[in-house]
Amino acid sequence: DNKPNFEIFLQEGIKIEDENVQEMNLPLDISFEKNGGVKSVFKKNNINFAIISSKKISNCYYASIYNLKIKENIFETECLPDYKNVDFNGLGGAFINYDNNLVLSIGAPEWSSEAIRNLAQKKDSLYGKTVIIHDKFFNSNKDKFLKKEDIKIFTKGHKNPQGITLIDKKIFSVEHGPQGGDELNLLKKGNNYGWPIVSYGTLYNNGKSFLKKNNTSNPIFTFLPSIAPSSVGNCPSNLKNYYKDNYCMIILSLRGMSLFVALVDKKDLRLISLEKFLINQRLRHFGLNFDNTIFQRNNIFYISVDNEGVYEIEFKNFR
């Protein structure tokens, strides 16, 4: 009836398609401890892949990329240090298609662990990074599992990058800070975004500030107080056309319970406007097309809402 049909994947390992509800056939090593589970699902070559939190014996917690078709992990990160303070709410899992590659965010998942957060600056660790993986590695051949050298570090120095979008070949990302200091960033290959050396937020419990150094990339904007940004995406056509001289994007938030329209000047790449629309719900993800781009039709787009469902959003009679 000309209505969009969704596949919906839940953190608890449930898949909803049309009116069918079923388990996702996840691996035995998946861990639902420490706020873990299915963190995101992306599609490549018509195959669904999940970013999941995992656990081996001896308190080894780590992240995996799982092929839902062949039911195999195709990649596993190293074990996290300080396992008692792992918090998989910070694992990230945002993704975009980029020049025949997947760009994927992997956070440094902790609540109060210096050992884990320091991984964001270590070049031999994938935690606290955005990484780039060629599309050829996403297939149904069981002999084609990813090696660490197949995954290239794109940027480093991230805490918990929750959303990422591509606009005119520029990559924008939103990320949770510590206590305050949530960020909107323009990602450039090879740049260091500072965590945990630099942040405009403060440490939990004692409110102490972070060091400030000039050899890291500053965010385009810092949210103080925190809004807990969960996703970022392109504006629908009516907003994009109206703001054609700017990069127009929509930011969803959890703690802020709002939708934000952000405008970034195309010439000097500075934020010139941030308009808040209070929804009074925890807004999570955008509905995506099969190519991982945001689904939009007739200026309508879709977002998932915690404990609610899927909302249809439209800016009617805009301006």
Side-chain angles (χ1 to χ4, degrees), residues 11-13 26-33 36-39 51-55 62 64 73:
Q11 181 169 318
E12 297 83 355
L26 295 170
L28 295 176
D29 64 350
I30 189 170
S31 174
F32 294 98
E33 302 173 39
V38 178
K39 309 310 291 185
I51 310 301
I52 63 174
S53 55
S54 305
K55 179 186 178 183
Y62 57 101
S64 300
N73 286 337

Side-chain angles (χ1 to χ4, degrees), residues 96-258:
I96 55 166
N97 296 321
Y98 183 69
D99 288 343
N100 298 315
N101 294 278
L102 181 85
V103 175
L104 173 70
S105 70
I106 304 175
E110 52 86 26
W111 176 257
S112 59
S113 172
E114 185 174 355
I116 294 175
R117 67 175 68 120
N118 285 341
L119 296 175
Q121 290 296 323
K122 292 187 176 180
K123 63 181 181 180
D124 60 344
S125 174
L126 296 180
Y127 295 108
K129 313 295 192 301
T130 61
V131 301
I132 189 164
I133 310 169
H134 196 276
D135 288 351
K136 67 183 179 182
F137 295 110
F138 299 108
N139 54 64
S140 57
N141 188 337
K142 292 189 177 184
D143 296 327
K144 296 291 185 181
F145 295 139
L146 280 162
K147 301 180 180 65
K148 191 170 182 179
E149 56 265 29
D150 298 326
I151 301 178
K152 310 299 182 184
I153 292 176
F154 189 71
T155 60
K156 69 177 183 178
H158 299 286
K159 183 179 187 294
N160 179 12
Q162 286 278 312
I164 189 169
T165 194
L166 181 67
I167 305 178
D168 293 343
K169 296 186 177 181
K170 288 184 168 51
I171 301 175
F172 295 92
S173 171
V174 289
E175 131 176 23
H176 290 209
Q179 186 168 266
D182 296 342
E183 296 178 354
L184 170 63
N185 285 302
L186 173 65
L187 300 186
K188 295 182 179 180
K189 185 178 180 180
N191 281 15
N192 181 354
Y193 291 83
W195 180 254
I197 301 168
V198 180
S199 174
Y200 287 90
T202 59
L203 283 168
Y204 287 107
N205 301 322
N206 60 23
K208 290 184 178 179
S209 63
F210 289 84
L211 297 175
K212 301 292 188 296
K213 293 189 176 182
N214 294 324
N215 59 348
T216 58
S217 298
N218 285 323
I220 292 177
F221 186 76
T222 301
F223 295 88
L224 294 168
S226 292
I227 64 167
S230 51
S231 294
V232 60
N234 290 276
C235 286
S237 297
N238 56 343
L239 273 71
K240 182 179 178 180
N241 293 336
Y242 186 84
Y243 294 122
K244 60 185 178 181
D245 294 330
N246 308 110
Y247 296 121
C248 181
M249 65 197 80
I250 290 178
I251 299 170
L252 307 181
S253 66
L254 301 171
R255 185 175 182 270
M257 294 190 173
S258 298

